[in-house]
């Protein structure tokens, strides 16, 4: 109750007059359905059963928005997702060994233990938040990504889910490159983002307990009987954009920092605090886009850092998007090195269908094992608006 009173009071201070304005634009509500299917019909793998030939996700997304007479925008959003991912990479957690009581990186989610949860079909409320946006900035409260993730800049990919960097669906089970700065996943949090002044926007997020069991991020899960308990997570982020009108160049930059208290859940590992830094840029000129991003985290474990970087080039031509991406990562806890690249093309067929075809190559190398998978991946995205209602 005290937290709700504090949030309401803070919103009233940030957006004066909001509580008195009861009229304005009509309330707009939308409900949409999105389905994504990822198939890897042609694959070459060093070990049998490495590749999952068919993965998928269905999302039901609802939004309601109203603009008051004083210009303040009120918004609510919720997303229910059902996902079938690689059974070895549920929620991004990865076990690359069979050691007992092996610690999992508090940020990376990688370990030399075995994955405890083999369920590959899961449904979750991935987001459920309210947003107040006015002249003094934006406040979000609820299940949502933090500002370090939202302000990320990097390469563009023709693949939305089987992408190289921070994959949402991982057909090879070996995608280990992650520069999107998501420490807390869809855990409940409060975020503030400033207005964009001179092209610069700043943001801060606070997550009391990062206990979410999300589809893409499970910060409270582990492998080998041990897991990190992440609390009091603070995220700071900056995002800048600049367009040179005469030349047509556009530059976007994102910087992120996060820290949190980490304790050990279970036996074995002894965690401390976790700190993570990230930076990325996106440069656009006509139909060309170049992106580069980097991240480093101490993983909450002594001398067991995780670092990753990725780069990519994207071009639009002949009503088709083309992209090539490359990335590497190093996980100190298990001496795991990974390399990945993607080369693909995508085209929209009307407003509701997108087809992407790419060549995928993922490999991981460690003292325990070397694994590699490559082949053709096909990603189909179907979008449908179920209902749109406008009222008072």
């Amino acid at each position: 109750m005290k937290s709700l009173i504090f949030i309401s009071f803070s919103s009233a201070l940030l957006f004066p007059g909001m509580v008195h304005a009861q009229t304005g634009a009509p309330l707009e509500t939308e409900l949409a359905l999105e389905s994504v299917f990822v198939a890897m019909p042609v694959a070459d793998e060093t070990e049998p059963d490495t590749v999952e030939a068919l993965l998928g996700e269905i999302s039901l997304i609802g939004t309601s928005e109203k603009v008051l007479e004083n210009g303040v925008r009120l918004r609510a959003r919720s997303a229910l997702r059902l996902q079938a991912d690689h059974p070895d990479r549920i929620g991004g957690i990865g076990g690359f060994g069979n050691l007992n009581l092996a610690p999992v990186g508090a940020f990376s989610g990688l370990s030399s233990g075995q994955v405890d949860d083999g369920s590959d079909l899961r449904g979750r409320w991935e987001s459920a938040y309210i947003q107040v946006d006015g002249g003094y900035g934006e406040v979000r409260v609820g299940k949502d990504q933090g500002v370090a993730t939202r302000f990320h800049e990097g390469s563009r990919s023709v693949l939305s889910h089987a992408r190289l960097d921070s994959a949402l669906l991982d057909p090879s089970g070996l995608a280990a490159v992650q520069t999107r700065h998501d420490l807390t996943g869809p855990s409940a949090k409060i975020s503030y983002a400033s207005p964009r002044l001179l092209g610069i926007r700043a943001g801060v997020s606070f997550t009391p307990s990062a206990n979410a069991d999300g589809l893409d991020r499970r910060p409270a899960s582990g492998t080998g009987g041990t897991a990190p308990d992440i609390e009091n997570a603070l995220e700071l982020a900056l995002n800048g954009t600049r367009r040179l009108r005469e030349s047509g160049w556009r530059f976007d930059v994102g910087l992120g920092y996060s820290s949190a208290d980490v304790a050990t859940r279970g036996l074995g590992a002894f965690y401390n605090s976790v700190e993570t830094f990230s930076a990325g840029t996106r440069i656009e000129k006509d139909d060309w886009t170049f992106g580069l991003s980097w991240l480093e985290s101490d993983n909450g474990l002594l001398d067991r850092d995780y670092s990753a970087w990725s780069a990519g080039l994207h071009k639009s031509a002949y009503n088709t998007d083309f992209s090539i991406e490359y990335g590497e990562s190093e996980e100190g806890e298990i001496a795991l090195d990974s390399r990945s690249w993607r080369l693909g093309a995508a085209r929209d067929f009307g407003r509701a269908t997108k087809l992407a075809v790419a060549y995928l190559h993922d490999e991981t190398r460690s003292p325990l094992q070397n694994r590699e998978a490559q082949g053709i991946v096909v990603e189909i995205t179907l979008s449908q608006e179920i209902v749109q209602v406008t009222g008072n």
Side-chain angles (χ1 to χ4, degrees):
M1 180 62 69
K2 291 182 179 180
S3 298
L4 293 176
I5 295 174
F6 172 75
I7 292 169
S8 301
F9 179 69
S10 301
S11 299
L13 290 178
L14 286 169
F15 311 103
M18 181 193 70
V19 295
H20 302 291
Q22 301 296 328
T23 59
L27 176 67
E28 297 183 356
T29 302
E30 296 181 359
L31 187 64
L33 182 69
E34 181 179 273
S35 303
V36 179
F37 303 96
V38 174
M40 199 167 174
V42 180
D44 181 16
E45 49 195 329
T46 56
E47 296 183 9
D49 302 324
T50 296
V51 170
E52 287 290 308
L54 182 62
L55 305 174
E57 175 178 306
I58 299 176
S59 302
L60 186 63
I61 305 168
T63 60
S64 291
E65 184 173 309
K66 182 179 180 65
V67 179
L68 305 181
E69 284 188 339
N70 59 3
V72 171
R73 184 181 67 170
L74 307 179
R75 186 170 184 254
R77 186 181 190 275
S78 182
L80 173 64
R81 294 166 56 194
L82 178 66
Q83 184 185 86
D85 200 356
H86 197 294
D88 292 340
R89 298 305 306 275
I90 300 300
I93 299 295
F96 292 86
N98 54 10
L99 301 181
N100 294 326
L101 302 178
V104 62
F107 174 82
S108 68
L110 305 179
S111 169
S112 56
Q114 293 181 330
V115 177
D116 296 329
D117 187 355
S119 174
D120 58 352
L121 180 63
R122 305 163 68 234
R124 296 291 187 273
W125 287 104
E126 280 291 292
S127 65
Y129 65 83
I130 57 174
Q131 173 181 319
V132 184
D133 194 354
Y136 294 99
E138 169 198 285
V139 170
R140 289 188 185 183
V141 181
K143 292 172 62 67
D144 183 29
Q145 294 178 327
V147 293
T149 308
R150 290 163 49 197
F151 285 15
H152 169 83
E153 298 290 352
S155 60
R156 294 180 60 187
S157 175
V158 297
L159 299 169
S160 64
H161 284 57
R163 63 199 185 201
L164 178 148
D165 195 329
S166 309
L168 304 182
L169 293 174
D170 182 7
S172 73
L174 304 177
V177 177
Q178 180 180 345
T179 68
R180 283 175 170 80
H181 193 149
D182 190 4
L183 175 66
T184 59
S187 302
K189 57 179 60 70
I190 179 170
S191 299
Y192 167 74
S194 72
R196 193 175 292 277
L197 301 174
L198 301 176
I200 304 296
R201 193 180 194 193
V204 57
S205 296
F206 178 72
T207 306
S209 178
N211 56 5
D213 183 24
L215 297 183
D216 308 316
R217 176 71 177 155
R218 305 174 70 192
S221 298
T223 60
T226 183
D229 186 5
I230 304 174
E231 296 183 342
N232 301 320
L234 177 68
E235 300 177 43
L236 304 174
L238 287 174
N239 183 274
T241 183
R242 179 69 184 275
R243 180 184 293 276
L244 305 180
R245 295 184 179 179
E246 294 184 359
S247 62
W249 288 89
R250 173 172 172 167
F251 301 88
D252 294 281
V253 177
L255 301 173
Y257 167 79
S258 67
S259 66
D261 299 327
V262 188
T264 301
R265 181 184 292 112
L267 302 175
F270 293 93
Y271 292 93
N272 200 344
S273 60
V274 57
E275 284 191 318
T276 305
F277 300 85
S278 64
T281 185
R282 180 177 291 182
I283 302 172
E284 299 181 15
K285 169 67 173 175
D286 298 328
D287 294 327
W288 292 90
T289 302
F290 171 76
L292 176 67
S293 55
W294 162 89
L295 179 142
E296 183 166 336
S297 175
D298 62 16
N299 258 337
L301 296 164
L302 183 63
D303 297 327
R304 296 177 179 181
D305 294 355
Y306 171 83
S307 63
W309 68 271
S310 68
L313 189 63
H314 181 281
K315 178 174 174 59
S316 298
Y318 309 107
N319 297 319
T320 303
D321 293 330
F322 303 89
S323 69
I324 181 170
E325 309 163 79
Y326 179 82
E328 297 184 1
S329 71
E330 296 182 2
E331 169 69 45
E333 191 273 322
I334 53 178
L336 180 75
D337 296 333
S338 77
R339 295 177 179 84
S340 299
W341 61 274
R342 307 279 191 277
L343 174 63
R347 172 174 287 195
D348 293 326
F349 295 88
R351 297 179 56 186
T353 304
K354 178 182 177 181
L355 173 65
V357 180
Y359 189 84
L360 172 153
H361 180 100
D362 292 329
E363 63 176 292
T364 59
R365 301 190 178 277
S366 73
L368 299 175
Q369 59 183 345
N370 297 331
R371 302 171 65 185
E372 184 176 352
Q374 55 188 334
I376 302 298
V377 61
V378 179
E379 185 177 275
I380 302 173
T381 304
L382 305 175
S383 304
Q384 181 180 0
E385 184 180 281
I386 299 177
V387 63
Q388 184 174 12
V389 178
T390 301
N392 295 324

